[in-house]
Amino acid sequence: PVNYGTSGAPVGGVDIQVSVSSHGLFEKTTKVCTMTVKGDGTSELGTCEHSESDDTAVASELPAIDPSTVVQIGKEIYEAIEDNQPTLNTTIDWAGAVPKGVTEWTQLENWQGPAQSDTYYVEFKNGLGTKLTKFAWRFVWKYGGDMNGVGKYVTQAGIDIDTAYAYLSEHLDVEVKSLKPVNYGTSAAPIGGVDVQVSVSSHGLFEKTTKVCTMTVKGDGTSALGTCEHGTFELSRRSNDPPTIDPADIAEIGKLIYDAVEDTQAVIDTSVDWAGAVPHGITDWTQLENWKGPVQSDSYYIEFKN
């Protein structure tokens, strides 16, 4: 979010970036297009990989598979709890650590598990000891998958929810990220692994607070707990004073990232999937007046052919 105007006459703006990926029998390919949209109704096209007659071809042969190089498949980030409501879908909300060149975990054999960790929890209370929110979970993953007898890899790594509670005045949000695919073995005997990071946030009448816990899960069925803020924490009551609003300082509201199409299915929800550039201190676009539009750009498209 940027102020494209002046301190006396601010013009908020924000970049919208669309990433289009295609994969299947062909190499996974991603094209990116960025547009800056501004509060004066103008826009500016940034770097944009698009074409009106794109004959971009991807390799017609299947990608070479390198068991010693571990890459991530599945989802990099997703919501498990959103505003007190469970949104976790374990059929698609997971990550894996597999050989480079593998795009589907079913290309590997001899999977075992799922393995699961101990139960961890994050609980927030007020100064009187009243429970405001609590989230408890286990890390889960399948392991041992191999490519023609070589390696031990990970799939369906994520979490299993044990408890999700929020007091009437409070809001509980849980985000899961998967990152750092690594070969924890050797080139000859690779062991794939990936970090699963859980971020638990609570807010409402009390200050918004987030606690993070990370677990590394590995293809040999073992795991290693990383930095993990778990247990019970006390929240501070939010000040009754409204936040100071600075029109010259532009802040972003709305969603930072979301999926528009997922595995060929349209999943965009325009009521919640959007972003805004507003004065610092504004938390809801309805606090502003005299909205116009919507403005829309020309049409852009990305097409992949063989």
Side-chain angles (χ1 to χ4, degrees), residues 213-292:
C213 182
T214 304
M215 177 77 80
T216 301
V217 298
K218 303 179 182 179
D220 59 2
T222 65
S223 60
L225 186 64
T227 302
C228 186
E229 302 173 286
H230 65 103
T232 301
F233 305 89
E234 183 177 324
L235 290 181
S236 300
R237 181 171 286 275
R238 190 172 59 188
S239 171
N240 291 327
D241 297 331
T244 301
I245 295 175
D246 181 1
D249 186 7
I250 304 299
E252 184 172 337
I253 60 171
K255 276 197 177 178
L256 178 64
I257 184 172
Y258 52 87
D259 291 315
V261 176
E262 189 169 9
D263 197 15
T264 317
Q265 301 299 312
V267 294
I268 192 168
D269 180 353
T270 55
S271 66
V272 295
D273 295 337
W274 54 266
V278 299
H280 180 78
I282 294 290
T283 57
D284 193 313
W285 66 271
T286 58
Q287 294 175 250
L288 306 180
E289 300 176 322
N290 301 317
W291 289 104
K292 301 175 183 179

Side-chain angles (χ1 to χ4, degrees), residues 8-92:
V11 178
V14 66
D15 287 358
I16 306 295
Q17 184 180 86
V18 178
S19 298
V20 181
S21 297
S22 179
H23 66 96
L25 294 178
F26 299 90
E27 287 281 4
K28 183 174 182 179
T29 304
T30 300
K31 300 296 182 181
V32 180
C33 184
T34 304
M35 175 77 78
T36 301
V37 296
K38 302 179 183 179
D40 59 3
T42 64
S43 62
E44 182 177 338
L45 186 64
T47 302
C48 187
E49 301 173 286
H50 73 103
S51 176
E52 295 179 356
S53 58
D54 191 355
D55 292 326
T56 302
V58 291
S60 58
E61 68 276 4
L62 293 176
I65 294 175
D66 179 4
S68 66
T69 301
V70 175
V71 298
Q72 184 171 316
I73 60 171
K75 271 195 178 180
E76 182 179 350
I77 182 172
Y78 51 88
E79 304 293 332
I81 303 289
E82 192 166 8
D83 198 14
N84 302 340
Q85 300 302 311
T87 55
L88 181 68
N89 182 349
T90 56
T91 61
I92 57 174

Side-chain angles (χ1 to χ4, degrees), residues 73 94-99 105-106 108-117 139-147 150-158 184 190-194 216-224:
I73 60 171
W94 55 266
V98 299
W105 66 270
T106 53
L108 305 182
E109 301 177 320
N110 301 316
W111 290 105
Q112 301 175 54
Q116 65 178 27
S117 71
F139 295 95
V140 295
W141 70 103
K142 289 185 179 179
Y143 63 95
D146 64 66
M147 173 58 67
V150 176
K152 295 179 179 180
Y153 301 96
V154 173
T155 191
Q156 296 182 0
Y184 288 96
I191 298 175
V194 66
T216 301
V217 298
K218 303 179 182 179
D220 59 2
T222 65
S223 60

